Amino acid sequence: MAISFSASAKAEVCRAPLTKNCCAVAECFGVLLFGNSFTADGVRIITESRDFAQRLPKLFHKAFSMDFDIRPQEDSTGKLIFAISDPAKCRRLMDTYGFHPTGTLSLHINLQILEEDCCKNAFLRGAFLAGGSVTDPEKGYHLELTTSHQSVAREAYALIQDALGFYPKQASRAGGRVLYLKQSDQIADCLTYLGAPLAAMGIMEAKLEKELNNEVNRRCNCDDANTSKVVQAAQEHLSAIRTLRNRGLFEKLPKKLMAAAIAREQNPDASLTELAQLMEPPITKPAMNHRLKKLAQLAQEA
């Protein structure tokens, strides 16, 4: 089964090394706020990305020396479920991020956890891995982050603007909030920032290919239109020449007009430029056009 573009991008993001503890804590924060569930009663993270599933245990161990209470088997397929239900572990997670187990009504992004630029990057990386997706650029341009927390979406909006310099669009979906990008260059910049430059390159290559195809189609359409005009004009010329022959006027034409008429009869598919070069001596395209128009005028008057 072929891996999707989104899965490939996440696999690339997952190659980021787990070096600094502060960044691991920040990345876990992004995972928890954009994952399936993060409350005082437990944590639940569901993913179909095997690369993310392999990273998660290492990430939480780096940040908290903490293991998941429930994790998928090595040979599991489909949706992979991770969960923490131990009250002490849940309490520690809530405390780390500044939430009171009983007094917090809604979760939000604690900016004290993201004071360093590397930690902001790690947070958004975790958000993308847990709640993000990106569409195959062959089908369209769309990258999104989804969270069930209204305050988190609002604060992540400002965080993305601060880190990347552009504003994502927002929408509601199934009770949650979605932040999304639709411009190919912004998606490429975002993927590069998250640690997926190859996926970003795939976005730009797909855009370039589409632009080239559109240009080729435009030129083909233009060529077809020009060809149609040439054919139509040639038919009008030939019709005029037949009229002059039928009326016995062809032999009375001036030598220059007769030469133009014979050239058109012998070269019905030729352009004006090509016909002009057949004259003795060669003439300009406007001069050739003038002679053929004169033939058409004489045919109308006959």
PDB file of all heavy atoms in Angstrom, residues 10-19 27 55 59 121-122 125 129 193-196:
ATOM      1  N   LYS A  10       4.892  13.483   7.691  1.00  0.00           N
ATOM      2  CA  LYS A  10       5.032  13.230   9.128  1.00  0.00           C
ATOM      3  C   LYS A  10       6.239  12.345   9.414  1.00  0.00           C
ATOM      4  O   LYS A  10       6.938  12.535  10.422  1.00  0.00           O
ATOM      5  CB  LYS A  10       3.758  12.586   9.671  1.00  0.00           C
ATOM      6  CG  LYS A  10       2.584  13.550   9.776  1.00  0.00           C
ATOM      7  CD  LYS A  10       1.400  12.941  10.497  1.00  0.00           C
ATOM      8  CE  LYS A  10       0.273  13.956  10.653  1.00  0.00           C
ATOM      9  NZ  LYS A  10      -0.864  13.441  11.429  1.00  0.00           N
ATOM     10  N   ALA A  11       6.488  11.395   8.539  1.00  0.00           N
ATOM     11  CA  ALA A  11       7.660  10.533   8.717  1.00  0.00           C
ATOM     12  C   ALA A  11       8.937  11.374   8.679  1.00  0.00           C
ATOM     13  O   ALA A  11       9.876  11.144   9.453  1.00  0.00           O
ATOM     14  CB  ALA A  11       7.682   9.465   7.629  1.00  0.00           C
ATOM     15  N   GLU A  12       8.961  12.360   7.781  1.00  0.00           N
ATOM     16  CA  GLU A  12      10.129  13.233   7.678  1.00  0.00           C
ATOM     17  C   GLU A  12      10.263  14.097   8.931  1.00  0.00           C
ATOM     18  O   GLU A  12      11.372  14.276   9.461  1.00  0.00           O
ATOM     19  CB  GLU A  12      10.009  14.113   6.434  1.00  0.00           C
ATOM     20  CG  GLU A  12      11.262  14.874   6.100  1.00  0.00           C
ATOM     21  CD  GLU A  12      11.143  15.682   4.825  1.00  0.00           C
ATOM     22  OE1 GLU A  12      10.081  15.646   4.173  1.00  0.00           O
ATOM     23  OE2 GLU A  12      12.125  16.384   4.489  1.00  0.00           O
ATOM     24  N   VAL A  13       9.140  14.631   9.422  1.00  0.00           N
ATOM     25  CA  VAL A  13       9.149  15.446  10.637  1.00  0.00           C
ATOM     26  C   VAL A  13       9.656  14.628  11.826  1.00  0.00           C
ATOM     27  O   VAL A  13      10.369  15.141  12.700  1.00  0.00           O
ATOM     28  CB  VAL A  13       7.747  16.016  10.918  1.00  0.00           C
ATOM     29  CG1 VAL A  13       7.696  16.686  12.288  1.00  0.00           C
ATOM     30  CG2 VAL A  13       7.351  17.021   9.840  1.00  0.00           C
ATOM     31  N   CYS A  14       9.287  13.355  11.853  1.00  0.00           N
ATOM     32  CA  CYS A  14       9.666  12.491  12.981  1.00  0.00           C
ATOM     33  C   CYS A  14      11.161  12.203  13.035  1.00  0.00           C
ATOM     34  O   CYS A  14      11.640  11.653  14.032  1.00  0.00           O
ATOM     35  CB  CYS A  14       8.895  11.168  12.903  1.00  0.00           C
ATOM     36  SG  CYS A  14       7.176  11.299  13.433  1.00  0.00           S
ATOM     37  N   ARG A  15      11.897  12.571  12.003  1.00  0.00           N
ATOM     38  CA  ARG A  15      13.341  12.345  12.012  1.00  0.00           C
ATOM     39  C   ARG A  15      14.081  13.402  12.828  1.00  0.00           C
ATOM     40  O   ARG A  15      15.291  13.276  13.056  1.00  0.00           O
ATOM     41  CB  ARG A  15      13.884  12.328  10.578  1.00  0.00           C
ATOM     42  CG  ARG A  15      13.301  11.205   9.731  1.00  0.00           C
ATOM     43  CD  ARG A  15      14.009  11.081   8.400  1.00  0.00           C
ATOM     44  NE  ARG A  15      13.264  10.216   7.516  1.00  0.00           N
ATOM     45  CZ  ARG A  15      12.684  10.583   6.394  1.00  0.00           C
ATOM     46  NH1 ARG A  15      12.775  11.840   5.996  1.00  0.00           N
ATOM     47  NH2 ARG A  15      12.009   9.733   5.646  1.00  0.00           N
ATOM     48  N   ALA A  16      13.370  14.422  13.290  1.00  0.00           N
ATOM     49  CA  ALA A  16      14.003  15.455  14.119  1.00  0.00           C
ATOM     50  C   ALA A  16      14.550  14.813  15.396  1.00  0.00           C
ATOM     51  O   ALA A  16      13.831  14.087  16.084  1.00  0.00           O
ATOM     52  CB  ALA A  16      12.993  16.541  14.466  1.00  0.00           C
ATOM     53  N   PRO A  17      15.794  15.047  15.726  1.00  0.00           N
ATOM     54  CA  PRO A  17      16.392  14.396  16.898  1.00  0.00           C
ATOM     55  C   PRO A  17      15.810  14.932  18.207  1.00  0.00           C
ATOM     56  O   PRO A  17      15.420  16.092  18.304  1.00  0.00           O
ATOM     57  CB  PRO A  17      17.880  14.745  16.785  1.00  0.00           C
ATOM     58  CG  PRO A  17      17.901  16.026  15.995  1.00  0.00           C
ATOM     59  CD  PRO A  17      16.759  15.920  15.019  1.00  0.00           C
ATOM     60  N   LEU A  18      15.754  14.055  19.206  1.00  0.00           N
ATOM     61  CA  LEU A  18      15.300  14.445  20.546  1.00  0.00           C
ATOM     62  C   LEU A  18      16.537  14.767  21.378  1.00  0.00           C
ATOM     63  O   LEU A  18      17.110  13.905  22.039  1.00  0.00           O
ATOM     64  CB  LEU A  18      14.497  13.304  21.179  1.00  0.00           C
ATOM     65  CG  LEU A  18      13.222  12.900  20.442  1.00  0.00           C
ATOM     66  CD1 LEU A  18      12.625  11.641  21.058  1.00  0.00           C
ATOM     67  CD2 LEU A  18      12.216  14.031  20.480  1.00  0.00           C
ATOM     68  N   THR A  19      16.955  16.025  21.336  1.00  0.00           N
ATOM     69  CA  THR A  19      18.208  16.414  21.986  1.00  0.00           C
ATOM     70  C   THR A  19      17.991  17.206  23.272  1.00  0.00           C
ATOM     71  O   THR A  19      18.527  16.875  24.315  1.00  0.00           O
ATOM     72  CB  THR A  19      19.075  17.242  21.010  1.00  0.00           C
ATOM     73  OG1 THR A  19      18.302  18.332  20.506  1.00  0.00           O
ATOM     74  CG2 THR A  19      19.534  16.382  19.837  1.00  0.00           C
ATOM     75  N   GLU A  27       7.281  19.825  22.641  1.00  0.00           N
ATOM     76  CA  GLU A  27       6.669  18.971  21.614  1.00  0.00           C
ATOM     77  C   GLU A  27       5.547  18.139  22.221  1.00  0.00           C
ATOM     78  O   GLU A  27       4.476  17.969  21.599  1.00  0.00           O
ATOM     79  CB  GLU A  27       7.724  18.077  20.966  1.00  0.00           C
ATOM     80  CG  GLU A  27       7.174  17.260  19.804  1.00  0.00           C
ATOM     81  CD  GLU A  27       8.255  16.499  19.054  1.00  0.00           C
ATOM     82  OE1 GLU A  27       9.436  16.927  19.078  1.00  0.00           O
ATOM     83  OE2 GLU A  27       7.926  15.470  18.434  1.00  0.00           O
ATOM     84  N   ARG A  55       7.816   7.384  17.588  1.00  0.00           N
ATOM     85  CA  ARG A  55       8.443   8.537  18.233  1.00  0.00           C
ATOM     86  C   ARG A  55       7.826   8.829  19.597  1.00  0.00           C
ATOM     87  O   ARG A  55       8.528   9.260  20.525  1.00  0.00           O
ATOM     88  CB  ARG A  55       8.307   9.765  17.324  1.00  0.00           C
ATOM     89  CG  ARG A  55       8.978  11.033  17.858  1.00  0.00           C
ATOM     90  CD  ARG A  55       8.794  12.184  16.875  1.00  0.00           C
ATOM     91  NE  ARG A  55       9.419  13.425  17.317  1.00  0.00           N
ATOM     92  CZ  ARG A  55      10.693  13.746  17.166  1.00  0.00           C
ATOM     93  NH1 ARG A  55      11.523  12.900  16.588  1.00  0.00           N
ATOM     94  NH2 ARG A  55      11.172  14.907  17.589  1.00  0.00           N
ATOM     95  N   LEU A  59       9.580  10.239  22.963  1.00  0.00           N
ATOM     96  CA  LEU A  59       9.340  11.647  23.261  1.00  0.00           C
ATOM     97  C   LEU A  59       8.923  11.841  24.716  1.00  0.00           C
ATOM     98  O   LEU A  59       9.480  12.696  25.432  1.00  0.00           O
ATOM     99  CB  LEU A  59       8.259  12.192  22.320  1.00  0.00           C
ATOM    100  CG  LEU A  59       7.847  13.649  22.507  1.00  0.00           C
ATOM    101  CD1 LEU A  59       9.018  14.579  22.242  1.00  0.00           C
ATOM    102  CD2 LEU A  59       6.672  13.984  21.589  1.00  0.00           C
ATOM    103  N   ASN A 121       9.104  25.948  17.830  1.00  0.00           N
ATOM    104  CA  ASN A 121       9.191  25.026  16.701  1.00  0.00           C
ATOM    105  C   ASN A 121       8.770  23.623  17.121  1.00  0.00           C
ATOM    106  O   ASN A 121       7.991  22.952  16.428  1.00  0.00           O
ATOM    107  CB  ASN A 121      10.631  25.021  16.164  1.00  0.00           C
ATOM    108  CG  ASN A 121      10.810  24.149  14.947  1.00  0.00           C
ATOM    109  OD1 ASN A 121      10.695  22.931  15.032  1.00  0.00           O
ATOM    110  ND2 ASN A 121      11.123  24.760  13.823  1.00  0.00           N
ATOM    111  N   ALA A 122       9.259  23.170  18.272  1.00  0.00           N
ATOM    112  CA  ALA A 122       8.938  21.829  18.763  1.00  0.00           C
ATOM    113  C   ALA A 122       7.451  21.698  19.063  1.00  0.00           C
ATOM    114  O   ALA A 122       6.831  20.663  18.787  1.00  0.00           O
ATOM    115  CB  ALA A 122       9.765  21.529  20.015  1.00  0.00           C
ATOM    116  N   ARG A 125       5.608  21.344  15.876  1.00  0.00           N
ATOM    117  CA  ARG A 125       5.913  20.014  15.334  1.00  0.00           C
ATOM    118  C   ARG A 125       5.009  18.964  15.981  1.00  0.00           C
ATOM    119  O   ARG A 125       4.420  18.115  15.311  1.00  0.00           O
ATOM    120  CB  ARG A 125       7.383  19.678  15.570  1.00  0.00           C
ATOM    121  CG  ARG A 125       7.786  18.303  15.023  1.00  0.00           C
ATOM    122  CD  ARG A 125       9.295  18.141  14.997  1.00  0.00           C
ATOM    123  NE  ARG A 125       9.897  18.205  16.325  1.00  0.00           N
ATOM    124  CZ  ARG A 125      10.775  19.137  16.697  1.00  0.00           C
ATOM    125  NH1 ARG A 125      11.154  20.079  15.859  1.00  0.00           N
ATOM    126  NH2 ARG A 125      11.284  19.119  17.916  1.00  0.00           N
ATOM    127  N   LEU A 129       2.077  16.629  14.198  1.00  0.00           N
ATOM    128  CA  LEU A 129       2.119  15.170  14.269  1.00  0.00           C
ATOM    129  C   LEU A 129       0.837  14.601  14.870  1.00  0.00           C
ATOM    130  O   LEU A 129       0.336  13.565  14.425  1.00  0.00           O
ATOM    131  CB  LEU A 129       3.330  14.720  15.088  1.00  0.00           C
ATOM    132  CG  LEU A 129       4.700  14.954  14.438  1.00  0.00           C
ATOM    133  CD1 LEU A 129       5.818  14.624  15.417  1.00  0.00           C
ATOM    134  CD2 LEU A 129       4.834  14.123  13.164  1.00  0.00           C
ATOM    135  N   TYR A 193       9.748  24.573   8.034  1.00  0.00           N
ATOM    136  CA  TYR A 193       9.900  24.977   9.436  1.00  0.00           C
ATOM    137  C   TYR A 193       9.709  23.797  10.381  1.00  0.00           C
ATOM    138  O   TYR A 193      10.432  23.665  11.371  1.00  0.00           O
ATOM    139  CB  TYR A 193       8.884  26.072   9.741  1.00  0.00           C
ATOM    140  CG  TYR A 193       8.860  26.537  11.180  1.00  0.00           C
ATOM    141  CD1 TYR A 193       9.824  27.412  11.665  1.00  0.00           C
ATOM    142  CD2 TYR A 193       7.865  26.106  12.057  1.00  0.00           C
ATOM    143  CE1 TYR A 193       9.802  27.840  12.985  1.00  0.00           C
ATOM    144  CE2 TYR A 193       7.834  26.529  13.376  1.00  0.00           C
ATOM    145  CZ  TYR A 193       8.806  27.395  13.833  1.00  0.00           C
ATOM    146  OH  TYR A 193       8.780  27.818  15.141  1.00  0.00           O
ATOM    147  N   LEU A 194       8.771  22.921  10.056  1.00  0.00           N
ATOM    148  CA  LEU A 194       8.481  21.776  10.913  1.00  0.00           C
ATOM    149  C   LEU A 194       9.531  20.668  10.789  1.00  0.00           C
ATOM    150  O   LEU A 194       9.577  19.771  11.629  1.00  0.00           O
ATOM    151  CB  LEU A 194       7.104  21.202  10.576  1.00  0.00           C
ATOM    152  CG  LEU A 194       5.907  22.115  10.882  1.00  0.00           C
ATOM    153  CD1 LEU A 194       4.621  21.473  10.371  1.00  0.00           C
ATOM    154  CD2 LEU A 194       5.800  22.393  12.373  1.00  0.00           C
ATOM    155  N   GLY A 195      10.344  20.744   9.741  1.00  0.00           N
ATOM    156  CA  GLY A 195      11.390  19.738   9.568  1.00  0.00           C
ATOM    157  C   GLY A 195      11.145  18.767   8.436  1.00  0.00           C
ATOM    158  O   GLY A 195      11.678  17.656   8.447  1.00  0.00           O
ATOM    159  N   ALA A 196      10.350  19.193   7.437  1.00  0.00           N
ATOM    160  CA  ALA A 196      10.058  18.333   6.286  1.00  0.00           C
ATOM    161  C   ALA A 196      10.387  19.065   4.991  1.00  0.00           C
ATOM    162  O   ALA A 196       9.498  19.338   4.178  1.00  0.00           O
ATOM    163  CB  ALA A 196       8.598  17.891   6.314  1.00  0.00           C
TER     164      ALA A 196
END
